Amino acid sequence: MRSMDRFGICMLAIFSVIQSSSGFYLPGSYPHKYEVGDYLNVKVNSLTSIETEMPFSYYSLPFCKPAEGIKDSAENLGELLMGDRIENSPYRFRMFKNESEIFLCQTEKLSADSFKLLKKRIDEMYQVNPMLDNLPAIRYTKKDGYVLRWTGYPVGIKVQDVYYVFNHLKFKVLVHKYEEANVARVMGTGDAAEVIPTIGKKDSDVLGYMVVGFEVVPCSFAHNGDSTKKLKMYERYTTPIKCDAASVSMSVKEGQSIVFSYEVSFEESDIKWPSRWDAYLKMEGSKVHWFSILNSLMVITFLAGIVLVIFLRTVRRDLTRYEELDKEAQAQMNEELSGWKLVVGDVFRAPSNPSLLCVMVGDGVQILGMAVVTILFAALGFMSPASRGTLITGMLFFYMILGIAAGYVAVRLWRTIGCGEHRGWMSVAWKAACFFPGIAFLILTTLNFLLWGSHSTGAIPFSLFVILILLWFCISVPLTLIGGYFGAKAPHIEFPVRTNQIPREIPAQKYPSWLLVLGAGTLPFGTLFIELFFIMSSIWMGRVYYVFGFLFVVMILLVVVCAEVSLVLTYMHLCVEDYKWWWKSFFASGSVAIYIFIYSINYLVFDLKSLSGPVSATLYLGYSLFMVLAIMLATGTVGFLSSFWFVHYLFSSVKLD
């Protein structure tokens, strides 16, 4: 897989850096040196649309095919799961050689099915996504005095019930002189390029260029079909082609062929290679984005600080006053102030469905650890947009490795609840290995059948299904069982108080406890709802998400707030003599997932209102449900573990009769 190739490239690059004492590029971001006249091959990704969210192969439409045949580029696991299908294209440039009126091909006459499909894709606003040197084509448009940036270009446009196709492309390639001849020279233009040291190489000083920009202007031009019959691919068109993006003339008709052509110009730019992605990362409203996140961070930090200070002062006051009183005064205080001490004989009573709680906490630790490590690596630049699919691939890798943590936590918690009992630990470890992956597999399989039925490239191939199952049962499950074994061998956490044989009756509550549990999720939701908008826009609107540093800060803040909210709710329940805190502490912070799901539905109705068809809506809701389940397990685990620590600390810090 390409990820393994990149690992080898990374090691080789580090070796060359040590030798040359020069700079170092992060994985997936190596510059390609092209000499004047070298061929540059444009690739194409899947056709995409924000109206359907279902990608389709570029060659599913009647476009020109390369003379050497259609070839798939090497793809990693993350790209396949994201629905990317990168293929070669007939568009071919030569470095620093401007060309115009280049004839590409004349398609066969459109059949009824091809004509119908082309119209459907135009109606659904599908975009073509060309790529050059791993850079997506960027398109600039002006609207109301503002310059808008888009990646790719539309297949066509509908004007007054007539369909027009963009059949002539005007490319502009921005290049920058190659400046780092002493670090490494990158040979080839493929995704799995090879980095080799150039110390002592005679050709290392040959003038070369790096691609730092790739722009496209789509045009609809009516060619003279008779004059193109004798032309071969890459020959020059007989008459000048005027590319006017504001007008269209190549209408699509059944039984009529389409002529495709292109032109390309090269322009030397001051943009340096490390900054070539800046044009894609300048999202509209970025100032609002930064200001909103900072404002949210300050407000939530302030609120969380107040809650924490008040909470600690209250508990410390109760403990101090209790220690200073004599036994008679203590008995009176038990009734007046210290309701939590009255449940001393029941506070560690085993909860209902203890094995399920242990499994969910173990899976939550695994998901939370994966998220923290992945976001940290992304913030450091190891999973940049330049490396397609590495974010998903990294998430899968870290999730599998952290199966050890899931098994360890689940089994050790199981033994703690059972006061050191070893029986059943293997069953708990198996459930931890299969609970969340099993639900995810069920959801993804159901959605995959919908994608298969739509012939979308977003459908996971059967071979990839087999690979995922093998990764699950050959890596993740054994690691989880190993973690469970270590959890069984580790000493269980001893409770500071004994549990009575007869459970205490819980007094009638003024407010239903589930109402407090549901309301507790509002504060954690407030820490991330602004960031959630940009994440959702990145997933469903095709925008590039890049502020992983802020996301890491927001995530840490979310963990802190989840812990605080769960502590407060647990303390409130103990004060009213409700000792059933186990599940309530989990769902107090885990209930943030409910608000995220409601927000997802709101985003579907108001921001994705152009989403067409029941299949697209089902895909959206299915993926949202999968995301919400993972968030519920992660945040719930934070709340439960913090509450467990607090209850253990609280009842071990006071003298008991």
Side-chain angles (χ1 to χ4, degrees):
M1 289 187 183
R2 208 166 60 182
S3 57
M4 296 303 297
D5 294 334
R6 284 183 179 141
F7 181 78
I9 292 171
C10 180
M11 294 299 103
L12 196 57
I14 292 174
F15 178 73
S16 65
V17 166
I18 294 174
Q19 284 187 330
S20 61
S21 299
S22 187
F24 164 58
Y25 293 106
L26 293 173
S29 59
Y30 302 104
H32 292 193
K33 176 184 177 182
Y34 301 99
E35 297 176 7
V36 176
D38 284 354
Y39 280 105
L40 306 177
N41 295 314
V42 177
K43 297 183 179 182
V44 285
N45 205 340
S46 301
L47 304 173
T48 56
S49 171
I50 61 174
E51 287 205 348
T52 66
E53 302 298 343
M54 289 187 292
F56 290 97
S57 171
Y58 173 80
Y59 293 106
S60 62
L61 293 182
F63 292 135
C64 298
K65 297 178 174 60
E68 66 273 16
I70 302 172
K71 298 177 182 178
D72 291 333
S73 296
E75 293 168 314
N76 58 39
L77 191 60
E79 285 180 297
L80 292 172
L81 291 174
M82 291 295 291
D84 289 343
R85 296 295 183 272
I86 300 175
E87 299 165 310
N88 59 334
S89 79
Y91 296 100
R92 187 180 64 184
F93 312 148
R94 297 184 67 184
M95 175 55 76
F96 239 109
K97 301 290 184 182
N98 296 339
E99 298 177 290
S100 60
E101 289 94 31
I102 302 299
F103 170 76
L104 204 58
C105 78
Q106 183 173 357
T107 65
E108 297 180 356
K109 294 181 178 179
L110 294 178
S111 63
D113 292 339
S114 298
F115 175 64
K116 183 179 179 181
L117 181 62
L118 189 57
K119 290 198 304 180
K120 183 180 180 183
R121 296 289 181 261
I122 294 174
D123 283 333
E124 293 172 337
M125 298 178 63
Y126 268 86
Q127 301 274 325
V128 182
N129 299 295
M131 297 162 48
L132 179 65
D133 194 46
N134 205 30
L135 277 181
I138 193 168
R139 175 171 55 98
Y140 294 97
T141 59
K142 289 185 178 181
K143 184 178 181 181
D144 299 330
Y146 293 96
V147 177
L148 303 178
R149 304 173 184 85
W150 311 85
T151 54
Y153 64 91
V155 172
I157 190 172
K158 181 181 179 183
V159 180
Q160 297 179 351
D161 296 330
V162 179
Y163 292 87
Y164 297 90
V165 66
F166 292 115
N167 61 330
H168 179 80
L169 301 179
K170 182 178 181 180
F171 295 107
K172 179 194 287 187
V173 182
L174 304 180
V175 296
H176 189 81
K177 286 184 180 179
Y178 192 82
E179 297 174 341
E180 301 191 44
N182 292 325
V183 178
R185 184 181 177 208
V186 182
M187 303 297 294
T189 59
D191 291 319
E194 181 182 4
V195 181
I196 58 175
T198 60
I199 297 176
K201 295 280 185 179
K202 293 182 179 179
D203 59 348
S204 61
D205 295 328
V206 175
L207 180 63
Y209 294 92
M210 300 172 292
V211 176
V212 295
F214 184 40
E215 302 175 9
V216 63
V217 177
C219 302
S220 179
F221 182 79
H223 296 81
N224 187 342
D226 295 332
S227 62
T228 59
K229 290 182 179 179
K230 296 181 180 180
L231 289 177
K232 296 181 180 180
M233 186 176 287
Y234 305 124
E235 289 186 350
R236 192 163 184 177
Y237 195 60
T238 52
T239 57
I241 299 176
K242 184 180 180 182
C243 181
D244 185 6
S247 62
V248 290
S249 57
M250 183 60 205
S251 59
V252 181
K253 298 178 182 177
E254 184 178 345
Q256 177 180 316
S257 61
I258 304 175
V259 177
F260 288 90
S261 59
Y262 71 94
E263 59 184 282
V264 59
S265 62
F266 288 83
E267 181 179 310
E268 194 166 346
S269 172
D270 293 332
I271 300 173
K272 294 190 176 182
W273 191 87
S275 304
R276 66 178 192 161
W277 275 87
D278 289 357
Y280 303 88
L281 302 182
K282 291 178 181 177
M283 297 187 298
E284 300 302 321
S286 58
K287 292 182 180 179
V288 176
H289 174 87
W290 291 86
F291 175 77
S292 299
I293 293 177
L294 286 173
N295 181 65
S296 177
L297 286 173
M298 288 187 292
V299 171
I300 298 303
T301 304
F302 178 71
L303 292 176
I306 292 177
V307 171
L308 185 61
V309 169
I310 293 176
F311 174 64
L312 289 179
R313 289 185 63 184
T314 302
V315 175
R316 184 65 60 85
R317 183 189 61 194
D318 281 359
L319 287 174
T320 304
R321 291 182 60 185
Y322 181 81
E323 294 294 339
E324 292 176 352
L325 298 176
D326 56 22
K327 291 185 177 180
E328 184 178 349
Q330 287 177 7
Q332 182 180 358
M333 183 179 177
N334 285 341
E335 299 178 2
E336 296 178 357
L337 296 174
S338 301
W340 54 269
K341 184 181 177 295
L342 297 178
V343 296
V344 63
D346 299 276
V347 70
F348 290 108
R349 188 175 301 280
S352 58
N353 299 315
S355 63
L356 179 60
L357 178 63
C358 296
V359 167
M360 293 176 71
V361 170
D363 283 353
V365 168
Q366 188 177 11
I367 295 170
L368 182 65
M370 172 208 68
V372 171
V373 176
T374 303
I375 295 174
L376 180 60
F377 271 81
L380 293 175
F382 285 92
M383 298 176 182
S384 67
S387 303
R388 283 181 181 80
T390 53
L391 191 66
I392 302 297
T393 305
M395 291 174 67
L396 287 173
F397 174 77
F398 294 132
Y399 180 82
M400 290 187 297
I401 296 299
L402 288 169
I404 295 179
Y408 179 85
V409 172
V411 171
R412 194 174 183 197
L413 180 60
W414 167 256
R415 293 190 59 237
T416 297
I417 294 176
C419 297
E421 181 61 51
H422 282 82
R423 286 185 304 174
W425 75 265
M426 181 69 76
S427 174
V428 171
W430 265 105
K431 291 175 182 177
C434 299
F435 178 73
F436 178 72
I439 296 176
F441 187 79
L442 180 63
I443 294 174
L444 293 178
T445 303
T446 304
L447 298 179
N448 212 51
F449 277 119
L450 295 176
L451 292 169
W452 268 337
S454 303
H455 305 287
S456 170
T457 58
I460 302 175
F462 180 76
S463 58
L464 184 57
F465 255 107
V466 175
I467 292 174
L468 290 175
I469 292 175
L470 290 176
L471 290 175
W472 179 9
F473 284 100
C474 296
I475 298 180
S476 181
V477 171
L479 289 177
T480 307
L481 294 178
I482 291 173
Y485 173 78
F486 286 118
K489 292 294 182 181
H492 69 282
I493 302 173
E494 295 185 359
F495 296 141
V497 294
R498 292 191 301 269
T499 302
N500 297 333
Q501 293 184 352
I502 301 176
R504 178 187 178 89
E505 183 179 355
I506 300 176
Q509 306 298 322
K510 189 174 182 180
Y511 300 103
S513 59
W514 61 266
L515 192 61
L516 293 174
V517 169
L518 288 179
T522 55
L523 192 58
F525 178 73
T527 65
L528 53 78
F529 82 97
I530 294 179
E531 194 70 19
L532 190 62
F533 170 78
F534 293 97
I535 295 175
M536 299 285 280
S537 299
S538 172
I539 296 174
W540 301 108
M541 301 292 284
R543 298 173 183 171
V544 180
Y545 187 86
Y546 65 98
V547 284
F548 290 103
F550 265 115
L551 183 60
F552 186 75
V553 173
V554 170
M555 187 169 190
I556 297 300
L557 188 60
L558 174 65
V559 169
V560 173
V561 174
C562 284
E564 292 170 353
V565 165
S566 185
L567 289 180
V568 172
L569 197 72
T570 299
Y571 181 69
M572 291 173 61
H573 280 102
L574 293 178
C575 285
V576 294
E577 303 175 33
D578 184 356
Y579 55 83
K580 295 183 178 180
W581 59 271
W582 301 79
W583 282 106
K584 291 172 184 175
S585 64
F586 185 92
F587 288 112
S589 53
S591 62
V592 66
I594 298 175
Y595 296 96
I596 293 177
F597 191 70
I598 295 173
Y599 180 85
S600 300
I601 296 176
N602 175 80
Y603 189 85
L604 173 64
V605 173
F606 294 101
D607 293 273
L608 293 179
K609 49 191 173 185
S610 61
L611 199 67
S612 60
V615 175
S616 300
T618 304
L619 288 172
Y620 175 86
L621 293 175
Y623 288 124
S624 298
L625 184 63
F626 171 72
M627 176 184 70
V628 162
L629 175 63
I631 293 174
M632 186 266 290
L633 291 174
T635 54
T637 296
V638 172
F640 171 79
L641 292 179
S642 58
S643 292
F644 183 86
W645 168 84
F646 163 70
V647 173
H648 190 280
Y649 172 78
L650 181 64
F651 284 89
S652 62
S653 300
V654 64
K655 296 178 182 179
L656 299 173
D657 298 335

